[in-house]
């Protein structure tokens, strides 16, 4: 990927693919030129200081773009509870359109292009994306069934790069729950970027869950930008398990009074996995609230990084911002990198942040062993109790059970 001339040749062929909207070509060209000017992310750049992408993109010297025309999907991957289905196979939407009960799900057609100056991977995504999904809920719609997004990566896909863009829009006083999971059929190398825009109108409520588990040899970049208006709420729960190399980045803009955002993440990593979280919450209006909560259990040579920022505008009086990250280091070689940030320009606010890391409490292990529990089982219980604090916040029983089952599966492996 350091050879930009090869990438330029790829782009010339890519922009002529049949699925690309001709009206978006110039915006794609502009985005690609910005990426070339900024270059591949480097550890010398503050925005990418802890990012695994800075080193992992070197292995993708020759990006190969492809489009899978096969729409088959193994329905054994479907969740057992009643839900609406969104199927993405190798980055392309393959499910049928859905329009019922105030809900519309179609192929992405927004073609929204915006620049974040310090984010060249977003430029890369804007240049090379394939259209993913678009979810829209009408005003006063209460979507009773959860929406499940299946990101399916097939073994027959002959490329090594997938990029897509997606959009969620909830109109006034509407509610929706969305659960998303990745499914990988093989362990071949893949560079995957995903860009999601979320727009919440007044009094809208969105809860989103994401399970990202066991993606050997995959480099994944997830980017979300959410805009919240008055009284709207956005809650997000991530469960990351043995993600080979991943960066989850979220920018949440609280643009209306009484808007609320809650970001929660569990990381359970082993071997040489590297997962980075970068969250930025912008309190742009008064009486807004936010919460950031991260818990990490790190084995072997795994590394987790957390960068969480709370920004408070000068007019955002009575802001309430909370941030906490805690890591359980289960190996002398595991690492947890934390960089909490507060940037406050208002004087009537309540903001706090905390970060801690350490090993398992040996006194607790001794206590459990004195009750007839062996050391290995005692450690599993300690890990489960540590991470369960986040899972317990999940209100949807089906999703909560999925997360608990995944945690039990990991601990019993």
């Amino acid at each position: 990927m350091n050879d930009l001339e090869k990438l330029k040749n790829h782009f010339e062929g890519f922009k002529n693919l049949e699925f690309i909207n001709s009206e978006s070509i110039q915006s794609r060209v502009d985005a690609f030129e910005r990426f070339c000017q900024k270059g591949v992310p480097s550890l010398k750049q503050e925005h990418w200081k802890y990012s695994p992408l800075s080193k992992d993109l070197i292995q993708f010297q020759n990006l190969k773009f492809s489009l899978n025309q096969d729409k088959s999907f193994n329905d054994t991957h479907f969740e057992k509870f009643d839900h609406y289905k969104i199927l993405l196979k190798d980055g392309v939407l393959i499910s049928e359109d859905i329009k019922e009960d105030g809900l519309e799900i179609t192929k992405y057609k927004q073609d929204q292009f915006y620049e974040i100056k310090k984010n060249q991977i977003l430029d890369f995504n804007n240049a090379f994306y394939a259209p993913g999904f678009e979810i829209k809920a009408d005003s006063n719609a209460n979507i009773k069934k959860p929406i499940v997004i299946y990101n399916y990566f097939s073994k027959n896909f002959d490329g090594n790069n997938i990029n897509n863009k997606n959009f969620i829009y909830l109109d006034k006083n509407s509610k929706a729950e969305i659960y998303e999971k990745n499914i990988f059929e093989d362990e071949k190398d893949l560079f995957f970027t995903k860009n999601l825009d979320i727009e919440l109108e007044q009094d809208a409520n969105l809860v989103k869950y994401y399970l990202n588990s066991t993606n050997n040899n995959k480099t994944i970049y997830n980017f979300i930008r959410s805009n919240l208006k008055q009284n709207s709420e956005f809650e997000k729960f991530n469960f990351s398990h043995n993600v080979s190399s991943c960066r989850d980045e979220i920018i949440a803009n609280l643009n209306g009074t009484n808007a609320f955002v809650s970001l929660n993440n569990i990381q359970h990593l082993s071997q040489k996995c590297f997962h980075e979280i970068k969250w930025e919450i912008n309190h742009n209006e008064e009486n807004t609230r936010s919460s950031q909560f991260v818990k990490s259990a790190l084995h072997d040579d795994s590394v987790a990084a957390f960068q969480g920022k709370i920004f408070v505008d000068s007019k955002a009086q009575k802001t309430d911002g909370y941030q906490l990250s805690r890591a359980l280091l289960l190996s002398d070689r595991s690492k947890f990198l934390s960089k909490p940030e507060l940037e406050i320009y208002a004087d009537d606010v309540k903001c706090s942040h905390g970060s801690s890391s350490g090993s398992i409490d040996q006194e607790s292990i001794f206590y459990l062993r004195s009750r007839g529990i062996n050391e290995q089982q005692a450690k599993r219980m300690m890990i489960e109790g540590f991470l369960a604090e986040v899972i317990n916040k999940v209100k949807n029983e089906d999703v909560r059970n999925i997360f608990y089952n995944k945690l039990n599966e990991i601990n019993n492996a």
Side-chain angles (χ1 to χ4, degrees):
M1 196 161 177
N2 290 336
D3 191 340
L4 290 179
E5 289 304 316
K6 289 183 180 179
L7 194 59
K8 289 176 181 177
N9 291 332
H10 283 311
F11 182 67
E12 288 302 314
F14 181 86
K15 69 183 183 180
N16 293 320
L17 294 177
E18 60 182 25
F19 70 86
I20 292 180
N21 181 350
S22 60
E23 296 177 359
S24 73
I25 288 180
Q26 186 56 51
S27 296
R28 289 176 181 268
V29 170
D30 294 342
F32 182 70
E33 289 179 353
R34 291 195 300 268
F35 171 78
C36 292
Q37 291 171 1
K38 297 173 185 177
V40 178
S42 164
L43 293 175
K44 295 180 181 179
Q45 297 171 326
E46 185 66 25
H47 188 70
W48 303 99
K49 184 176 181 180
Y50 301 116
S51 177
L53 271 70
S54 301
K55 57 181 178 64
D56 291 344
L57 293 184
I58 296 174
Q59 67 181 303
F60 295 98
Q61 292 288 347
N62 294 299
L63 288 177
K64 184 179 180 183
F65 304 98
S66 182
L67 196 63
N68 195 340
Q69 301 292 342
D70 180 14
K71 295 187 177 182
S72 61
F73 183 85
N74 188 342
D75 60 10
T76 60
H77 295 297
F78 288 147
E79 298 296 342
K80 305 305 180 186
F81 55 86
D82 190 20
H83 62 278
Y84 295 109
K85 302 176 181 66
I86 295 179
L87 310 180
L88 291 140
K89 185 171 183 178
D90 300 318
V92 176
L93 186 73
I94 63 171
S95 55
E96 298 296 327
D97 291 353
I98 296 173
K99 188 171 184 180
E100 57 180 279
D101 300 328
L103 172 66
E104 182 179 15
I105 301 175
T106 60
K107 183 176 73 172
Y108 177 88
K109 51 184 179 290
Q110 292 295 307
D111 283 337
Q112 292 187 6
F113 291 84
Y114 54 87
E115 179 189 7
I116 296 177
K117 291 185 178 180
K118 54 193 175 183
N119 191 336
Q120 55 265 54
I121 298 299
L122 185 60
D123 294 322
F124 181 89
N125 177 279
N126 282 330
F128 287 102
Y129 80 88
F133 62 83
E134 193 168 297
I135 301 172
K136 290 185 176 181
D138 295 340
S139 61
N140 300 309
N142 184 2
I143 310 303
K144 294 183 172 59
K145 293 195 295 187
I147 301 165
V148 179
I149 301 166
Y150 299 91
N151 290 318
Y152 180 58
F153 301 89
S154 69
K155 61 184 177 182
N156 297 323
F157 181 68
D158 60 359
N160 66 359
N161 178 228
I162 295 173
N163 313 278
N164 68 20
K165 287 172 73 71
N166 310 284
F167 180 61
I168 297 173
Y169 175 80
L170 301 189
D171 208 341
K172 293 180 179 179
N173 198 37
S174 59
K175 296 181 180 180
E177 282 188 306
I178 299 173
Y179 168 61
E180 180 176 3
K181 71 175 184 177
N182 293 337
I183 304 164
F184 299 96
E185 266 195 344
D186 61 22
E187 298 185 359
K188 63 185 178 184
D189 291 346
L190 178 71
F191 173 42
F192 173 49
T193 75
K194 183 177 61 177
N195 180 4
L196 170 63
D197 270 317
I198 298 173
E199 296 286 339
L200 302 182
E201 297 292 344
Q202 181 178 335
D203 297 300
N205 184 296
L206 174 65
V207 183
K208 190 172 185 303
Y209 312 101
Y210 181 43
L211 177 63
N212 189 8
S213 179
T214 315
N215 53 16
N216 295 333
N217 305 316
K218 309 294 190 291
T219 294
I220 297 177
Y221 176 65
N222 295 311
F223 178 83
I224 295 176
R225 185 187 70 167
S226 57
N227 292 317
L228 285 73
K229 292 188 178 178
Q230 183 179 355
N231 296 321
S232 62
E233 297 185 358
F234 174 40
E235 293 184 84
K236 190 170 192 302
F237 297 86
N238 274 20
F239 191 137
S240 301
H241 167 235
N242 279 4
V243 289
S244 175
S245 179
C246 182
R247 172 171 166 132
D248 284 311
E249 184 169 353
I250 298 176
I251 296 176
N253 298 312
L254 304 178
N255 298 326
T257 58
N258 299 310
F260 170 66
V261 64
S262 175
L263 307 178
N264 308 273
N265 204 106
I266 292 173
Q267 300 179 98
H268 199 301
L269 309 178
S270 60
Q271 301 171 13
K272 293 186 178 181
C273 293
F274 196 142
H275 187 205
E276 179 194 18
I277 300 168
K278 185 171 175 57
W279 292 340
E280 178 181 323
I281 297 180
N282 298 310
H283 293 262
N284 298 323
E285 192 55 80
E286 63 181 9
N287 286 302
T288 53
R289 296 179 297 120
S290 68
S291 173
Q292 303 176 51
F293 191 30
V294 177
K295 281 202 165 185
S296 308
L298 308 175
H299 303 257
D300 307 322
D301 297 285
S302 62
V303 179
F306 172 67
Q307 296 187 74
K309 181 176 181 178
I310 299 174
F311 170 86
V312 182
D313 190 87
S314 58
K315 65 179 179 180
Q317 303 294 343
K318 301 190 182 303
T319 285
D320 188 346
Y322 172 80
Q323 181 192 105
L324 178 64
S325 60
R326 296 181 61 195
L328 198 57
L329 302 177
L330 301 162
S331 162
D332 293 337
R333 304 184 306 278
S334 61
K335 295 180 182 178
F336 178 64
L337 310 172
S338 180
K339 185 187 177 187
E341 295 182 67
L342 298 177
E343 187 174 345
I344 301 172
Y345 296 98
D347 50 20
D348 185 9
V349 301
K350 183 171 68 173
C351 292
S352 64
H353 66 82
S355 180
S356 65
S357 60
S359 57
I360 285 181
D361 180 19
Q362 292 303 314
E363 289 187 5
S364 298
I365 295 292
F366 178 80
Y367 173 80
L368 292 172
R369 294 193 66 186
S370 70
R371 295 298 185 269
I373 300 171
N374 65 46
E375 184 173 0
Q376 186 176 8
Q377 186 178 2
K379 287 183 178 179
R380 287 201 299 264
M381 291 174 64
M382 293 290 292
I383 295 170
E384 183 172 333
F386 176 74
L387 298 178
E389 186 178 359
V390 179
I391 300 178
N392 287 337
K393 297 176 68 176
V394 174
K395 297 174 184 176
N396 184 294
E397 183 178 359
D398 293 313
V399 177
R400 189 168 64 247
N401 288 336
I402 290 172
F403 284 179
Y404 268 124
N405 290 338
K406 172 57 68 174
L407 183 55
N408 290 331
E409 174 190 323
I410 297 167
N411 279 342
N412 294 323

